[in-house]
Amino acid sequence: MATQSAAVSNLCDGVVGSLQPTTLALEATLLELCKSQQGMLVALQRENQALCAHDSEFQYIQDQFSRIPGYMAKLKHIRATLSSMDSTSSDLKKRVKALHDKCMETSLAKTVQENMRAAEEKNLKARPSAALQRELEQGATEEASETPQDSPDPEPAEPEPADAEQPADAEQPADAEPTTMSTPEF
C-alpha cells in the first residue's frame, strides 16, 4: 500500500503541478475581478446617493411634466380664440372699409352739392320785386311820354348788381333764408 499511496501522491502531485499555474492565474484573475466589482459597487453606491440627493429635483421635474396636458389645453383654447378673433377682425375690417367708402361717397356728394349751390348762387342775379318792377315800368312810360317821339329811345335802366342791397320787399331765391329785422326790446 505504500507504493500505492506513493503512486497516488505522485500522481496527485503531477496533476496538481500541471494545474497549479492555471489555478494561480485563475485565482489572480478572480482577485482582480473581485476588486473591479468592489469598485463598481462603490461607484453605484455613490451614484445612488447622488440620485437620492437630487430626488426633490426629480420630483419637481416630474411635477412640471405633469402640468403639460393642462398647458396644451390652454394653448388649444387660445388658438380657438385667436381663430375666432381673426374671423371677427376680418369681418370688422370689411365693415369698416364699406363704411369708409360710404362716408367718402357721402362726402363727395356733399362737396358736389355745395359746389353746385355755389355755382347757382353765382349765377343768380338780383331781380326787382313785382311792385318795384311796376314802378320802373310806370317811370319808363312817363319818361317816354315826356320826351319827344322823334328822339331816340332812352337808355334802359341797368339792373342792379347781384351784390347790391335789395329792397326789403324784393324777391329772394327759394333756397335763401328770409331775412327779418327785429328790434331789440329794452
Side-chain angles (χ1 to χ4, degrees):
M1 281 232 122
T3 52
Q4 238 183 5
S5 74
V8 170
S9 122
N10 280 341
L11 187 60
C12 281
D13 284 338
V15 170
V16 169
S18 69
L19 293 177
Q20 189 172 11
T22 308
T23 308
L24 288 175
L26 286 175
E27 191 176 313
T29 306
L30 186 59
L31 284 173
E32 199 175 300
L33 187 59
C34 283
K35 284 181 184 179
S36 67
Q37 282 181 347
Q38 190 67 28
M40 176 94 87
L41 281 174
V42 169
L44 284 173
Q45 285 176 347
R46 269 186 292 164
E47 288 297 319
N48 193 17
Q49 288 173 353
L51 289 176
C52 289
H54 297 294
D55 192 34
S56 63
E57 293 171 1
F58 288 132
Q59 185 64 34
Y60 174 77
I61 291 171
Q62 187 177 9
D63 290 342
Q64 296 303 318
F65 276 108
S66 68
R67 292 180 183 179
I68 289 175
Y71 289 137
M72 292 300 288
K74 285 181 181 179
L75 283 173
K76 284 181 183 178
H77 177 72
I78 290 170
R79 279 188 187 152
T81 303
L82 287 176
S83 176
S84 72
M85 287 175 75
D86 184 45
S87 65
T88 303
S89 171
S90 64
D91 290 344
L92 285 174
K93 284 179 182 177
K94 287 177 185 176
R95 289 173 59 191
V96 163
K97 184 175 180 348
L99 185 61
H100 182 266
D101 291 345
K102 186 176 179 181
C103 287
M104 291 300 290
E105 286 175 9
T106 304
S107 174
L108 182 63
K110 187 177 179 182
T111 304
V112 167
Q113 189 177 18
E114 287 174 358
N115 288 344
M116 287 175 61
R117 241 188 226 152
E120 245 179 61
E121 287 177 5
K122 202 175 197 183
N123 290 335
L124 288 178
K125 293 183 180 176
R127 296 182 198 148
S129 68
L132 185 61
Q133 184 70 32
R134 276 181 261 154
E135 286 179 20
L136 288 174
E137 288 174 5
Q138 285 177 356
T141 55
E142 289 175 3
E143 286 179 14
S145 62
E146 292 176 0
T147 59
Q149 295 275 339
D150 35 321
S151 68
D153 289 334
E155 292 182 22
E158 292 184 21
E160 295 179 14
D163 57 336
E165 290 186 25
Q166 295 180 353
D169 57 345
E171 287 180 274
Q172 293 184 353
D175 60 346
E177 294 182 21
T179 56
T180 57
M181 299 287 278
S182 63
T183 57
E185 295 180 10
F186 294 95

